[in-house]
Amino acid sequence: MSESKFTGGLLGLIGINILSAIITGITLGIAAPWAVCLKQEWIAKHTIIDGRKLYFDGTGGQLFGNYIKWFLLTIITLGIYGFWLDIKMKQWIVKHTHLI
């Protein structure tokens, strides 16, 4: 079994978090899906599992569509669907993360 590791550094993480916050803040949250994808790309780029690198292929446009759907479902269910949002987000991220 090969080695699994994360090769990202503190400065890179700080930089990607600041950039994501700026993108989200300037657009008043509308571009949050693109910021999420930017961070996930960085995480995948620096992750090696069993000697194989990860690749993230999700886009902000795809995630934005899901945000709209999840928002509407949360309103329709009077907030109950909100309990599933974290799981739905993790499922979406894993669905778009692949081994190279």
Side-chain angles (χ1 to χ4, degrees), residues 48-70:
I48 299 170
I49 297 178
D50 286 336
R52 296 174 67 187
K53 287 190 161 202
L54 292 183
Y55 173 72
F56 180 77
D57 69 357
T59 66
Q62 294 168 335
L63 187 54
F64 187 76
N66 281 324
Y67 269 32
I68 298 296
K69 178 177 68 176
W70 297 336

Side-chain angles (χ1 to χ4, degrees), residues 14-28:
I14 290 171
I16 205 73
N17 282 335
I18 290 172
L19 183 59
S20 294
I22 290 170
I23 290 170
T24 302
I26 288 175
T27 63
L28 302 176

